[in-house]
Amino acid sequence: MFYFIIDLLGTIAFAISGVLVAMEKKLDMFGVLIIAFVTAVGGGTLRDLLIGSTPVFWMRDYSYISIIIGTVIFAVLFAKHLHNFRKTLLLFDAIGIGLFTMVGIEKGLAYDLLPIICIALGTITACFGGVIRDILCNQIPAVFSKEIYATPCILGGIIYFVLIRLPFEDAYAYSIAITVIIVVRLLALRFGISLPNIYRNGNR
Amino acid sequence: MFYFIIDLLGTIAFAISGVLVAMEKKLDMFGVLIIAFVTAVGGGTLRDLLIGSTPVFWMRDYSYISIIIGTVIFAVLFAKHLHNFRKTLLLFDAIGIGLFTMVGIEKGLAYDLLPIICIALGTITACFGGVIRDILCNQIPAVFSKEIYATPCILGGIIYFVLIRLPFEDAYAYSIAITVIIVVRLLALRFGISLPNIYRNGNR
Amino acid sequence: MFYFIIDLLGTIAFAISGVLVAMEKKLDMFGVLIIAFVTAVGGGTLRDLLIGSTPVFWMRDYSYISIIIGTVIFAVLFAKHLHNFRKTLLLFDAIGIGLFTMVGIEKGLAYDLLPIICIALGTITACFGGVIRDILCNQIPAVFSKEIYATPCILGGIIYFVLIRLPFEDAYAYSIAITVIIVVRLLALRFGISLPNIYRNGNR
């Protein structure tokens, strides 16, 4: 139940972020819906395709498609007021990437994949919805240059695999990893941290 | 036989639309071929990937790849004259999306998927070849902002699922749905209809 | 062993080409890593998805992900000096597309696909890493307009299928095809050959 609510909140936050980018690009109703959908489920879809878990997850469960359609209608109607909830949305989004990362890692483990591949799958689940959103909107994916977004996911994944090697209950390792992802993501947002610059001149 | 001819005409129309966009972008012969191919089979390919029907359909049937190569050679040779057939092409294209939508819906039903997912698969089959074409050509997909393209597919899909719940023969429901898609698409083209504007200021 | 070393060199060359494009776009460390990864394994991944060979190849073999991470760290550290090795990189890259084409063809044969589809799979394996790289970096894929890149792959594939129909040992046909691909690619680079212009005015 708790898990379900977090998944719900994460999906809603991702869908709204899709609506906002799509409306900035002046897409029509259908475009907004598709971008919202892709942002919310694109990462998990790519994960499912790569491991061969088909039909992909949202085809076997009504709830995703319904939640996203509902969210889009709501977000379009109240688009003007969404910026008031910007902080709430960023919080949901941070919770979303924490949970989605662990969902991806669990799925990788269920397919007996190596830890490094599981971490990659977790990161893909959390981050690639946004990547596909940006590609469809014809811009370089934000996660590749602007934001600390994937790093917390990778970090959380590493911590999870370290913890489950220790005499640690899986549920604790799971919770700690999610918490680390959310906290690191929020701290990066709060203090405007970005990855170390690999270019000579500072002006990126 | 009838079905085969329509599928053929739709594939040709889609491939030509790919050639036209690719030539506008001044791609070379290989680029034109790939864009034509992707426009014609991209939607069905994405559908097959999402439901796990692999190898994807055009790998198990010579005819698609041959038809598309033939179409591209023809279209490149007569590119100058293609604009004279613009209306014929739009008609083939409309027939194509009608048929492709129903092909996608049938495939979804064969995989026991829910009606809403089948309609999504039909729309993907009909519209996402054009989406991938536009992404490869580095422009925002036309179907997201400019044209009534997906809406007729969704509408036709809904009508199909309503009709087969009534005491209606499947073949009739199928034909009516295709007809609705084609007619709505042609009407939208004829009268320049677009989706209701969700933005304040009218200047999109 | 020999095969393994060529695969290694090809993967490294592809990864470095990804690093160079990503750094030109001023992506951050994570973006550079993803672009390098996608350039190196993207073609093979798309091939595996299309034929349904999942989990895709790099999920079942540590070595790719390790080699690529190592290459990226090295390439970022010595980015300034990479242009001194430009010719060596182009040579590795040519060797890479030769080998990758044949890997794709072999995989198609293992799935009992038609020769024309196998050649398509070979070309996808060799060229579509670069296509996905360019899409993620928001530019029209170079292989569609600027370079003779796919043509040698298609040519080599055709030669392979002609040779194995003659009383020819498979290993010879394989080696000749790879050699043709590499030589044609290098000649095209050396003499700046491009595909015949399909446009009226010469200024592309």
mmCIF file of all heavy atoms in Angstrom, chain A residues 1-47:
data_model
loop_
_atom_site.group_PDB
_atom_site.id
_atom_site.type_symbol
_atom_site.label_atom_id
_atom_site.label_comp_id
_atom_site.label_asym_id
_atom_site.label_seq_id
_atom_site.Cartn_x
_atom_site.Cartn_y
_atom_site.Cartn_z
ATOM 1 N N MET A 1 0.834 -1.207 0.000
ATOM 2 C CA MET A 1 0.000 0.000 0.000
ATOM 3 C C MET A 1 0.873 1.262 0.000
ATOM 4 O O MET A 1 0.746 2.130 -0.853
ATOM 5 C CB MET A 1 -0.892 -0.002 1.240
ATOM 6 C CG MET A 1 -1.896 1.137 1.264
ATOM 7 S SD MET A 1 -3.012 1.061 -0.183
ATOM 8 C CE MET A 1 -3.608 2.733 -0.204
ATOM 9 N N PHE A 2 1.818 1.301 0.959
ATOM 10 C CA PHE A 2 2.743 2.419 1.043
ATOM 11 C C PHE A 2 3.529 2.526 -0.267
ATOM 12 O O PHE A 2 3.637 3.604 -0.864
ATOM 13 C CB PHE A 2 3.712 2.184 2.211
ATOM 14 C CG PHE A 2 4.777 3.227 2.303
ATOM 15 C CD1 PHE A 2 4.455 4.531 2.676
ATOM 16 C CD2 PHE A 2 6.105 2.921 2.021
ATOM 17 C CE1 PHE A 2 5.440 5.501 2.741
ATOM 18 C CE2 PHE A 2 7.084 3.889 2.088
ATOM 19 C CZ PHE A 2 6.748 5.182 2.455
ATOM 20 N N TYR A 3 4.028 1.371 -0.710
ATOM 21 C CA TYR A 3 4.766 1.279 -1.964
ATOM 22 C C TYR A 3 3.932 1.817 -3.113
ATOM 23 O O TYR A 3 4.398 2.592 -3.943
ATOM 24 C CB TYR A 3 5.112 -0.196 -2.192
ATOM 25 C CG TYR A 3 5.714 -0.500 -3.525
ATOM 26 C CD1 TYR A 3 7.095 -0.601 -3.693
ATOM 27 C CD2 TYR A 3 4.895 -0.733 -4.620
ATOM 28 C CE1 TYR A 3 7.636 -0.896 -4.916
ATOM 29 C CE2 TYR A 3 5.437 -1.024 -5.858
ATOM 30 C CZ TYR A 3 6.801 -1.101 -6.003
ATOM 31 O OH TYR A 3 7.326 -1.390 -7.222
ATOM 32 N N PHE A 4 2.665 1.419 -3.139
ATOM 33 C CA PHE A 4 1.770 1.829 -4.218
ATOM 34 C C PHE A 4 1.600 3.347 -4.249
ATOM 35 O O PHE A 4 1.611 3.966 -5.316
ATOM 36 C CB PHE A 4 0.411 1.144 -4.059
ATOM 37 C CG PHE A 4 -0.616 1.637 -5.021
ATOM 38 C CD1 PHE A 4 -0.595 1.242 -6.353
ATOM 39 C CD2 PHE A 4 -1.602 2.535 -4.614
ATOM 40 C CE1 PHE A 4 -1.534 1.713 -7.254
ATOM 41 C CE2 PHE A 4 -2.546 3.010 -5.517
ATOM 42 C CZ PHE A 4 -2.505 2.596 -6.834
ATOM 43 N N ILE A 5 1.449 3.953 -3.067
ATOM 44 C CA ILE A 5 1.246 5.407 -3.006
ATOM 45 C C ILE A 5 2.473 6.147 -3.516
ATOM 46 O O ILE A 5 2.368 7.133 -4.255
ATOM 47 C CB ILE A 5 0.903 5.847 -1.558
ATOM 48 C CG1 ILE A 5 -0.501 5.345 -1.207
ATOM 49 C CG2 ILE A 5 0.972 7.363 -1.410
ATOM 50 C CD1 ILE A 5 -0.901 5.601 0.228
ATOM 51 N N ILE A 6 3.659 5.674 -3.149
ATOM 52 C CA ILE A 6 4.888 6.329 -3.611
ATOM 53 C C ILE A 6 5.025 6.195 -5.127
ATOM 54 O O ILE A 6 5.356 7.151 -5.831
ATOM 55 C CB ILE A 6 6.122 5.721 -2.917
ATOM 56 C CG1 ILE A 6 6.130 6.131 -1.441
ATOM 57 C CG2 ILE A 6 7.399 6.223 -3.586
ATOM 58 C CD1 ILE A 6 7.443 5.891 -0.775
ATOM 59 N N ASP A 7 4.730 4.994 -5.645
ATOM 60 C CA ASP A 7 4.787 4.775 -7.084
ATOM 61 C C ASP A 7 3.828 5.736 -7.785
ATOM 62 O O ASP A 7 4.164 6.360 -8.796
ATOM 63 C CB ASP A 7 4.403 3.315 -7.377
ATOM 64 C CG ASP A 7 4.758 2.893 -8.789
ATOM 65 O OD1 ASP A 7 5.412 3.681 -9.490
ATOM 66 O OD2 ASP A 7 4.385 1.787 -9.188
ATOM 67 N N LEU A 8 2.641 5.879 -7.205
ATOM 68 C CA LEU A 8 1.629 6.790 -7.721
ATOM 69 C C LEU A 8 2.142 8.230 -7.742
ATOM 70 O O LEU A 8 2.067 8.926 -8.770
ATOM 71 C CB LEU A 8 0.389 6.700 -6.823
ATOM 72 C CG LEU A 8 -0.847 7.500 -7.194
ATOM 73 C CD1 LEU A 8 -1.583 6.809 -8.321
ATOM 74 C CD2 LEU A 8 -1.767 7.656 -5.989
ATOM 75 N N LEU A 9 2.697 8.672 -6.615
ATOM 76 C CA LEU A 9 3.188 10.052 -6.533
ATOM 77 C C LEU A 9 4.324 10.292 -7.520
ATOM 78 O O LEU A 9 4.376 11.325 -8.185
ATOM 79 C CB LEU A 9 3.677 10.361 -5.105
ATOM 80 C CG LEU A 9 2.600 10.458 -4.033
ATOM 81 C CD1 LEU A 9 3.235 10.735 -2.667
ATOM 82 C CD2 LEU A 9 1.596 11.550 -4.360
ATOM 83 N N GLY A 10 5.216 9.323 -7.637
ATOM 84 C CA GLY A 10 6.331 9.450 -8.574
ATOM 85 C C GLY A 10 5.837 9.558 -10.009
ATOM 86 O O GLY A 10 6.270 10.432 -10.767
ATOM 87 N N THR A 11 4.883 8.688 -10.352
ATOM 88 C CA THR A 11 4.330 8.713 -11.708
ATOM 89 C C THR A 11 3.671 10.052 -12.005
ATOM 90 O O THR A 11 3.865 10.640 -13.075
ATOM 91 C CB THR A 11 3.303 7.571 -11.879
ATOM 92 O OG1 THR A 11 3.952 6.337 -11.580
ATOM 93 C CG2 THR A 11 2.750 7.525 -13.290
ATOM 94 N N ILE A 12 2.908 10.560 -11.023
ATOM 95 C CA ILE A 12 2.245 11.851 -11.201
ATOM 96 C C ILE A 12 3.276 12.969 -11.378
ATOM 97 O O ILE A 12 3.162 13.797 -12.287
ATOM 98 C CB ILE A 12 1.324 12.151 -9.995
ATOM 99 C CG1 ILE A 12 0.123 11.193 -10.013
ATOM 100 C CG2 ILE A 12 0.858 13.607 -10.005
ATOM 101 C CD1 ILE A 12 -0.800 11.315 -8.810
ATOM 102 N N ALA A 13 4.322 12.959 -10.537
ATOM 103 C CA ALA A 13 5.340 14.008 -10.635
ATOM 104 C C ALA A 13 6.032 13.966 -11.994
ATOM 105 O O ALA A 13 6.248 15.008 -12.628
ATOM 106 C CB ALA A 13 6.370 13.847 -9.510
ATOM 107 N N PHE A 14 6.359 12.764 -12.462
ATOM 108 C CA PHE A 14 7.016 12.618 -13.767
ATOM 109 C C PHE A 14 6.083 13.095 -14.878
ATOM 110 O O PHE A 14 6.512 13.811 -15.791
ATOM 111 C CB PHE A 14 7.404 11.152 -14.000
ATOM 112 C CG PHE A 14 8.716 10.768 -13.371
ATOM 113 C CD1 PHE A 14 9.103 11.242 -12.130
ATOM 114 C CD2 PHE A 14 9.588 9.898 -14.010
ATOM 115 C CE1 PHE A 14 10.314 10.884 -11.553
ATOM 116 C CE2 PHE A 14 10.807 9.528 -13.446
ATOM 117 C CZ PHE A 14 11.163 10.013 -12.220
ATOM 118 N N ALA A 15 4.806 12.702 -14.807
ATOM 119 C CA ALA A 15 3.854 13.097 -15.854
ATOM 120 C C ALA A 15 3.724 14.621 -15.897
ATOM 121 O O ALA A 15 3.708 15.227 -16.973
ATOM 122 C CB ALA A 15 2.486 12.449 -15.601
ATOM 123 N N ILE A 16 3.641 15.250 -14.720
ATOM 124 C CA ILE A 16 3.512 16.711 -14.690
ATOM 125 C C ILE A 16 4.753 17.375 -15.277
ATOM 126 O O ILE A 16 4.650 18.345 -16.041
ATOM 127 C CB ILE A 16 3.267 17.212 -13.240
ATOM 128 C CG1 ILE A 16 1.870 16.769 -12.787
ATOM 129 C CG2 ILE A 16 3.388 18.733 -13.158
ATOM 130 C CD1 ILE A 16 1.505 17.185 -11.384
ATOM 131 N N SER A 17 5.935 16.820 -14.979
ATOM 132 C CA SER A 17 7.150 17.412 -15.563
ATOM 133 C C SER A 17 7.098 17.305 -17.088
ATOM 134 O O SER A 17 7.542 18.199 -17.806
ATOM 135 C CB SER A 17 8.410 16.754 -14.989
ATOM 136 O OG SER A 17 9.012 15.884 -15.901
ATOM 137 N N GLY A 18 6.497 16.211 -17.587
ATOM 138 C CA GLY A 18 6.320 16.082 -19.031
ATOM 139 C C GLY A 18 5.359 17.125 -19.575
ATOM 140 O O GLY A 18 5.621 17.762 -20.603
ATOM 141 N N VAL A 19 4.242 17.325 -18.883
ATOM 142 C CA VAL A 19 3.256 18.328 -19.310
ATOM 143 C C VAL A 19 3.916 19.706 -19.400
ATOM 144 O O VAL A 19 3.724 20.439 -20.379
ATOM 145 C CB VAL A 19 2.055 18.379 -18.338
ATOM 146 C CG1 VAL A 19 1.171 19.583 -18.622
ATOM 147 C CG2 VAL A 19 1.251 17.090 -18.422
ATOM 148 N N LEU A 20 4.719 20.027 -18.387
ATOM 149 C CA LEU A 20 5.325 21.368 -18.352
ATOM 150 C C LEU A 20 6.263 21.580 -19.541
ATOM 151 O O LEU A 20 6.209 22.619 -20.204
ATOM 152 C CB LEU A 20 6.074 21.572 -17.028
ATOM 153 C CG LEU A 20 5.167 21.627 -15.790
ATOM 154 C CD1 LEU A 20 5.986 21.758 -14.517
ATOM 155 C CD2 LEU A 20 4.157 22.768 -15.894
ATOM 156 N N VAL A 21 7.115 20.585 -19.831
ATOM 157 C CA VAL A 21 8.036 20.727 -20.965
ATOM 158 C C VAL A 21 7.243 20.785 -22.277
ATOM 159 O O VAL A 21 7.526 21.604 -23.156
ATOM 160 C CB VAL A 21 9.055 19.568 -20.999
ATOM 161 C CG1 VAL A 21 9.898 19.618 -22.265
ATOM 162 C CG2 VAL A 21 9.956 19.605 -19.775
ATOM 163 N N ALA A 22 6.230 19.932 -22.416
ATOM 164 C CA ALA A 22 5.450 19.884 -23.657
ATOM 165 C C ALA A 22 4.705 21.188 -23.897
ATOM 166 O O ALA A 22 4.602 21.667 -25.032
ATOM 167 C CB ALA A 22 4.469 18.709 -23.613
ATOM 168 N N MET A 23 4.188 21.798 -22.804
ATOM 169 C CA MET A 23 3.444 23.051 -22.969
ATOM 170 C C MET A 23 4.388 24.206 -23.314
ATOM 171 O O MET A 23 4.015 25.126 -24.036
ATOM 172 C CB MET A 23 2.623 23.363 -21.714
ATOM 173 C CG MET A 23 1.462 22.388 -21.546
ATOM 174 S SD MET A 23 0.310 22.807 -20.206
ATOM 175 C CE MET A 23 -0.593 24.175 -20.923
ATOM 176 N N GLU A 24 5.608 24.126 -22.779
ATOM 177 C CA GLU A 24 6.608 25.124 -23.145
ATOM 178 C C GLU A 24 6.873 25.087 -24.652
ATOM 179 O O GLU A 24 7.121 26.114 -25.276
ATOM 180 C CB GLU A 24 7.911 24.778 -22.420
ATOM 181 C CG GLU A 24 8.685 25.943 -21.896
ATOM 182 C CD GLU A 24 9.777 25.412 -20.983
ATOM 183 O OE1 GLU A 24 10.814 25.003 -21.507
ATOM 184 O OE2 GLU A 24 9.564 25.371 -19.744
ATOM 185 N N LYS A 25 6.826 23.880 -25.214
ATOM 186 C CA LYS A 25 7.074 23.707 -26.652
ATOM 187 C C LYS A 25 5.800 23.924 -27.473
ATOM 188 O O LYS A 25 5.789 23.682 -28.677
ATOM 189 C CB LYS A 25 7.618 22.299 -26.930
ATOM 190 C CG LYS A 25 8.968 22.027 -26.312
ATOM 191 C CD LYS A 25 10.101 22.548 -27.193
ATOM 192 C CE LYS A 25 11.431 22.432 -26.486
ATOM 193 N NZ LYS A 25 12.541 22.847 -27.353
ATOM 194 N N LYS A 26 4.698 24.334 -26.796
ATOM 195 C CA LYS A 26 3.425 24.627 -27.465
ATOM 196 C C LYS A 26 2.864 23.426 -28.230
ATOM 197 O O LYS A 26 2.296 23.592 -29.327
ATOM 198 C CB LYS A 26 3.580 25.809 -28.436
ATOM 199 C CG LYS A 26 4.022 27.101 -27.775
ATOM 200 C CD LYS A 26 2.889 27.755 -27.034
ATOM 201 C CE LYS A 26 3.294 29.081 -26.400
ATOM 202 N NZ LYS A 26 2.416 29.421 -25.266
ATOM 203 N N LEU A 27 3.054 22.235 -27.700
ATOM 204 C CA LEU A 27 2.465 21.061 -28.345
ATOM 205 C C LEU A 27 0.949 21.074 -28.166
ATOM 206 O O LEU A 27 0.423 21.742 -27.273
ATOM 207 C CB LEU A 27 3.061 19.783 -27.759
ATOM 208 C CG LEU A 27 4.572 19.644 -27.887
ATOM 209 C CD1 LEU A 27 5.002 18.239 -27.484
ATOM 210 C CD2 LEU A 27 5.048 19.942 -29.300
ATOM 211 N N ASP A 28 0.248 20.322 -29.017
ATOM 212 C CA ASP A 28 -1.204 20.246 -28.861
ATOM 213 C C ASP A 28 -1.559 19.192 -27.805
ATOM 214 O O ASP A 28 -0.693 18.561 -27.208
ATOM 215 C CB ASP A 28 -1.892 19.984 -30.213
ATOM 216 C CG ASP A 28 -1.606 18.594 -30.758
ATOM 217 O OD1 ASP A 28 -1.114 17.735 -30.007
ATOM 218 O OD2 ASP A 28 -1.870 18.382 -31.950
ATOM 219 N N MET A 29 -2.853 19.035 -27.565
ATOM 220 C CA MET A 29 -3.339 18.139 -26.513
ATOM 221 C C MET A 29 -2.735 16.738 -26.627
ATOM 222 O O MET A 29 -2.306 16.149 -25.637
ATOM 223 C CB MET A 29 -4.868 18.072 -26.643
ATOM 224 C CG MET A 29 -5.579 17.569 -25.431
ATOM 225 S SD MET A 29 -5.281 18.569 -23.952
ATOM 226 C CE MET A 29 -5.163 17.274 -22.712
ATOM 227 N N PHE A 30 -2.710 16.198 -27.852
ATOM 228 C CA PHE A 30 -2.176 14.858 -28.050
ATOM 229 C C PHE A 30 -0.680 14.812 -27.740
ATOM 230 O O PHE A 30 -0.201 13.895 -27.063
ATOM 231 C CB PHE A 30 -2.430 14.388 -29.486
ATOM 232 C CG PHE A 30 -1.824 13.057 -29.792
ATOM 233 C CD1 PHE A 30 -2.386 11.894 -29.275
ATOM 234 C CD2 PHE A 30 -0.688 12.951 -30.571
ATOM 235 C CE1 PHE A 30 -1.830 10.657 -29.544
ATOM 236 C CE2 PHE A 30 -0.119 11.718 -30.846
ATOM 237 C CZ PHE A 30 -0.685 10.564 -30.332
ATOM 238 N N GLY A 31 0.051 15.840 -28.206
ATOM 239 C CA GLY A 31 1.485 15.910 -27.937
ATOM 240 C C GLY A 31 1.764 15.969 -26.448
ATOM 241 O O GLY A 31 2.652 15.284 -25.935
ATOM 242 N N VAL A 32 0.981 16.786 -25.729
ATOM 243 C CA VAL A 32 1.161 16.914 -24.285
ATOM 244 C C VAL A 32 0.932 15.562 -23.602
ATOM 245 O O VAL A 32 1.719 15.137 -22.738
ATOM 246 C CB VAL A 32 0.198 17.985 -23.713
ATOM 247 C CG1 VAL A 32 0.211 17.964 -22.195
ATOM 248 C CG2 VAL A 32 0.585 19.373 -24.225
ATOM 249 N N LEU A 33 -0.118 14.875 -24.027
ATOM 250 C CA LEU A 33 -0.429 13.570 -23.438
ATOM 251 C C LEU A 33 0.708 12.571 -23.665
ATOM 252 O O LEU A 33 1.144 11.875 -22.738
ATOM 253 C CB LEU A 33 -1.731 13.026 -24.046
ATOM 254 C CG LEU A 33 -2.172 11.652 -23.555
ATOM 255 C CD1 LEU A 33 -2.471 11.662 -22.070
ATOM 256 C CD2 LEU A 33 -3.400 11.168 -24.320
ATOM 257 N N ILE A 34 1.207 12.515 -24.905
ATOM 258 C CA ILE A 34 2.267 11.559 -25.222
ATOM 259 C C ILE A 34 3.546 11.883 -24.446
ATOM 260 O O ILE A 34 4.188 10.985 -23.884
ATOM 261 C CB ILE A 34 2.569 11.566 -26.743
ATOM 262 C CG1 ILE A 34 1.373 11.035 -27.520
ATOM 263 C CG2 ILE A 34 3.813 10.733 -27.061
ATOM 264 C CD1 ILE A 34 1.049 9.594 -27.226
ATOM 265 N N ILE A 35 3.903 13.169 -24.392
ATOM 266 C CA ILE A 35 5.126 13.544 -23.678
ATOM 267 C C ILE A 35 4.989 13.208 -22.187
ATOM 268 O O ILE A 35 5.917 12.678 -21.563
ATOM 269 C CB ILE A 35 5.443 15.047 -23.857
ATOM 270 C CG1 ILE A 35 5.632 15.390 -25.336
ATOM 271 C CG2 ILE A 35 6.693 15.431 -23.063
ATOM 272 C CD1 ILE A 35 6.799 14.744 -26.005
ATOM 273 N N ALA A 36 3.819 13.481 -21.618
ATOM 274 C CA ALA A 36 3.598 13.155 -20.208
ATOM 275 C C ALA A 36 3.723 11.648 -19.999
ATOM 276 O O ALA A 36 4.377 11.173 -19.058
ATOM 277 C CB ALA A 36 2.217 13.632 -19.764
ATOM 278 N N PHE A 37 3.113 10.882 -20.893
ATOM 279 C CA PHE A 37 3.135 9.432 -20.783
ATOM 280 C C PHE A 37 4.569 8.902 -20.867
ATOM 281 O O PHE A 37 4.998 8.078 -20.060
ATOM 282 C CB PHE A 37 2.280 8.831 -21.911
ATOM 283 C CG PHE A 37 1.985 7.384 -21.718
ATOM 284 C CD1 PHE A 37 1.026 6.980 -20.806
ATOM 285 C CD2 PHE A 37 2.674 6.423 -22.432
ATOM 286 C CE1 PHE A 37 0.764 5.634 -20.606
ATOM 287 C CE2 PHE A 37 2.422 5.080 -22.244
ATOM 288 C CZ PHE A 37 1.462 4.679 -21.332
ATOM 289 N N VAL A 38 5.285 9.399 -21.862
ATOM 290 C CA VAL A 38 6.652 8.946 -22.105
ATOM 291 C C VAL A 38 7.569 9.316 -20.938
ATOM 292 O O VAL A 38 8.425 8.537 -20.530
ATOM 293 C CB VAL A 38 7.153 9.569 -23.425
ATOM 294 C CG1 VAL A 38 8.653 9.673 -23.450
ATOM 295 C CG2 VAL A 38 6.646 8.757 -24.607
ATOM 296 N N THR A 39 7.372 10.510 -20.378
ATOM 297 C CA THR A 39 8.193 10.927 -19.241
ATOM 298 C C THR A 39 7.949 10.001 -18.048
ATOM 299 O O THR A 39 8.880 9.598 -17.353
ATOM 300 C CB THR A 39 7.859 12.374 -18.832
ATOM 301 O OG1 THR A 39 7.888 13.198 -19.996
ATOM 302 C CG2 THR A 39 8.852 12.906 -17.817
ATOM 303 N N ALA A 40 6.669 9.647 -17.851
ATOM 304 C CA ALA A 40 6.319 8.844 -16.677
ATOM 305 C C ALA A 40 6.728 7.377 -16.825
ATOM 306 O O ALA A 40 7.209 6.767 -15.875
ATOM 307 C CB ALA A 40 4.822 8.955 -16.395
ATOM 308 N N VAL A 41 6.549 6.795 -18.006
ATOM 309 C CA VAL A 41 6.807 5.359 -18.143
ATOM 310 C C VAL A 41 7.966 5.013 -19.078
ATOM 311 O O VAL A 41 8.303 3.833 -19.231
ATOM 312 C CB VAL A 41 5.542 4.591 -18.623
ATOM 313 C CG1 VAL A 41 4.363 4.871 -17.719
ATOM 314 C CG2 VAL A 41 5.204 4.899 -20.069
ATOM 315 N N GLY A 42 8.582 6.027 -19.701
ATOM 316 C CA GLY A 42 9.618 5.748 -20.701
ATOM 317 C C GLY A 42 10.819 4.998 -20.149
ATOM 318 O O GLY A 42 11.347 4.087 -20.794
ATOM 319 N N GLY A 43 11.265 5.383 -18.949
ATOM 320 C CA GLY A 43 12.427 4.721 -18.359
ATOM 321 C C GLY A 43 12.157 3.251 -18.090
ATOM 322 O O GLY A 43 12.953 2.377 -18.455
ATOM 323 N N GLY A 44 11.011 2.970 -17.475
ATOM 324 C CA GLY A 44 10.642 1.582 -17.192
ATOM 325 C C GLY A 44 10.422 0.783 -18.470
ATOM 326 O O GLY A 44 10.705 -0.413 -18.526
ATOM 327 N N THR A 45 9.908 1.468 -19.509
ATOM 328 C CA THR A 45 9.675 0.789 -20.783
ATOM 329 C C THR A 45 11.001 0.372 -21.410
ATOM 330 O O THR A 45 11.156 -0.774 -21.859
ATOM 331 C CB THR A 45 8.911 1.729 -21.743
ATOM 332 O OG1 THR A 45 7.686 2.106 -21.128
ATOM 333 C CG2 THR A 45 8.635 1.052 -23.068
ATOM 334 N N LEU A 46 11.973 1.297 -21.432
ATOM 335 C CA LEU A 46 13.288 0.971 -21.989
ATOM 336 C C LEU A 46 13.915 -0.175 -21.201
ATOM 337 O O LEU A 46 14.473 -1.118 -21.792
ATOM 338 C CB LEU A 46 14.190 2.216 -21.952
ATOM 339 C CG LEU A 46 15.593 2.029 -22.518
ATOM 340 C CD1 LEU A 46 15.559 1.539 -23.960
ATOM 341 C CD2 LEU A 46 16.385 3.334 -22.446
ATOM 342 N N ARG A 47 13.804 -0.119 -19.878
ATOM 343 C CA ARG A 47 14.314 -1.215 -19.032
ATOM 344 C C ARG A 47 13.689 -2.550 -19.434
ATOM 345 O O ARG A 47 14.392 -3.545 -19.662
ATOM 346 C CB ARG A 47 13.976 -0.923 -17.569
ATOM 347 C CG ARG A 47 14.353 -2.028 -16.596
ATOM 348 C CD ARG A 47 13.532 -1.906 -15.319
ATOM 349 N NE ARG A 47 12.113 -2.105 -15.600
ATOM 350 C CZ ARG A 47 11.108 -1.475 -14.982
ATOM 351 N NH1 ARG A 47 11.364 -0.598 -14.051
ATOM 352 N NH2 ARG A 47 9.847 -1.722 -15.312
#
